[in-house]
Amino acid sequence: MIDIPLWAWAATIAFIIALFVFDLLVAVRRPHAVGLREATVWSVFYIVVAIAFGLVVMAAGDGTAGTEYFTGWLVEKSLSVDNLFVFVILMSRFQVPIEYQQKVLLFGIAAALVFRTVLIAIGAAAISVFSFTFLLFGLALIWTAVQLMRHRNEEPDVQDNWLVKRTRALLPLSTDLHGGRLLAREDGRRVATPLMLVFIAIGSTDLLFALDSIPAVFGVTTEPFIVFTANAFALLGLRALYFLIEGLLGRLVYLSTGLSLILGFIGIKLIVEFVHLDVSETVPEIPTPLSLVVILAILAITTVASLLRVRRHPEERAKPGAVRKPRPREDGDTHDKDRAAT
């Protein structure tokens, strides 16, 4: 593990918060539909920032730390694309006006980063105390990979969400957006706007994604600083990336297959790590540079194969995949009524 001084942690966290605040001010102070040019500029900016940070890590530490960061960032970025699928479904199901979409995305992403930071701290503590955590993480990732492969052509029910249902039960809901606010007052009482439901759905859905992505990045490195920054810089550009590739997502028909292969590979890597540490050191570890090559190859093959498939079958559209079979919609289900109200 590399030695990260306290001032480096503080400076990095301050820098990440500053970027989030700046992004939030851009989205909230001037609600507007994000065009392709604006989305491209911001996407490139955040990719450049993430790469520049990786080069700093490489220069300040060593080649291993830099390789671990770039591999972890690539894993988190690729898994974030699957998040975007669900975000697109959420925006459509809740009929969020386009000028408010980036605000909701940013609130959800900020909440996701807080949740992931907590999970990273728990994961790092568990790994430092119990080496069999590698085994548990590995088995969890392999299970997720199998489930994602089984349900790769399905869409998760984004409204069948415990937090969303509890919000509906506990808070009176308004049909008015109230200028893009999350909470408002109507007739002297506090009500939740439709955007509050979307915010909760995005934050809680990303928390579920984190249960896969955090173990995945721990399969690349056990250094908490690299795990945290890889997650943070992967999430930072998600708002702009959403608007940039929203139209392209439907063409990535093999994305779920590729992601399941990546999760399965990292799961195997974690199990091998456990065997190396607790069973026999003669069992070789899977080196991080090899992991980077495998992940890049899977992403490249998946993307090219998807585009070729859609070119031959333009009627096909990608699905985000699900880790469990969506609940069948029953007669009298209130979801459609709630959606119509929003």
Side-chain angles (χ1 to χ4, degrees):
M1 295 178 66
I2 58 176
D3 184 24
I4 305 297
L6 185 59
W7 68 263
W9 271 100
T12 302
I13 293 173
F15 179 60
I16 290 169
I17 291 175
L19 286 174
F20 262 115
V21 170
F22 179 70
D23 224 8
L24 188 60
L25 289 175
V26 171
V28 173
R29 293 184 63 182
R30 190 172 62 89
H32 64 285
V34 178
L36 181 60
R37 180 178 179 181
E38 179 183 349
T40 301
V41 170
W42 282 110
S43 295
V44 171
F45 169 75
Y46 282 116
I47 290 173
V48 170
V49 168
I51 292 174
F53 182 83
L55 294 176
V56 170
V57 171
M58 188 172 289
D62 53 32
T64 300
T67 303
E68 288 179 350
Y69 165 80
F70 281 116
T71 306
W73 176 72
L74 185 63
V75 168
E76 294 302 310
K77 203 69 174 176
S78 59
L79 292 174
S80 293
V81 174
D82 207 37
N83 291 35
L84 294 182
F85 261 118
V86 179
F87 293 170
V88 170
I89 295 171
L90 278 166
M91 297 300 180
S92 173
R93 297 278 172 86
F94 286 97
Q95 298 181 339
V96 180
I98 193 168
E99 64 269 23
Y100 295 127
Q101 289 184 7
Q102 57 177 334
K103 175 183 177 179
V104 175
L105 282 171
L106 276 172
F107 275 116
I109 291 168
L113 184 57
V114 173
F115 294 147
R116 290 185 183 213
T117 301
V118 174
L119 290 177
I120 289 168
I122 295 172
I127 286 174
S128 66
V129 177
F130 307 109
S131 59
F132 69 82
T133 304
F134 286 114
L135 178 62
L136 297 179
F137 279 178
L139 292 174
L141 288 179
I142 290 175
W143 180 87
T144 301
V146 171
Q147 292 298 104
L148 185 58
M149 181 68 78
R150 288 181 59 196
H151 305 299
R152 61 187 179 278
N153 293 321
E154 296 172 0
E155 292 184 354
D157 188 348
V158 295
Q159 300 191 68
D160 185 22
N161 177 303
W162 184 83
L163 282 176
V164 172
K165 289 190 288 188
R166 291 305 300 165
T167 302
R168 284 192 172 105
L170 295 175
L171 287 176
L173 299 179
S174 171
T175 58
D176 195 331
L177 292 173
H178 288 278
R181 283 181 287 176
L182 301 180
L183 294 171
R185 286 195 173 276
E186 288 184 354
D187 300 325
R189 65 173 184 169
R190 187 173 293 277
V191 296
T193 71
L195 293 186
M196 171 62 86
L197 286 182
V198 186
F199 162 66
I200 292 173
I202 285 180
S204 56
T205 299
D206 199 88
L207 176 60
L208 294 178
F209 275 107
L211 296 177
D212 300 327
S213 65
I214 297 302
V217 76
F218 270 118
V220 175
T221 176
T222 57
E223 172 53 55
F225 181 78
I226 295 179
V227 174
F228 170 73
T229 52
N231 266 273
F233 286 107
L235 287 173
L236 271 173
L238 218 55
R239 174 187 68 90
L241 192 62
Y242 169 86
F243 295 102
L244 180 63
I245 68 173
E246 182 180 2
L248 177 63
L249 285 174
R251 303 176 67 187
L252 300 177
V253 293
Y254 294 129
L255 176 65
S256 292
T257 300
L259 292 180
S260 66
L261 292 175
I262 290 174
L263 291 175
F265 169 75
I266 298 176
I268 293 172
K269 184 178 186 298
L270 283 166
I271 293 174
V272 170
E273 180 77 14
F274 167 76
V275 174
H276 174 81
L277 291 174
D278 277 39
V279 180
S280 174
E281 292 186 357
T282 59
V283 176
E285 299 174 281
I286 299 176
T288 301
L290 177 59
S291 301
L292 179 59
V293 171
V294 170
I295 292 167
L296 283 172
I298 291 174
L299 290 175
I301 293 171
T302 298
T303 302
V304 172
S306 295
L307 296 178
L308 290 176
R309 176 70 181 180
V310 172
R311 186 175 181 180
R312 296 192 190 99
H313 302 276
E315 75 282 358
E316 291 192 13
R317 285 294 176 266
K319 303 289 185 181
V323 294
R324 64 183 178 88
K325 193 172 182 61
R327 179 178 64 87
R329 193 66 62 86
E330 300 176 356
D331 293 337
D333 198 317
T334 59
H335 288 343
D336 288 330
K337 295 177 183 178
D338 289 333
R339 180 161 59 92
T342 60

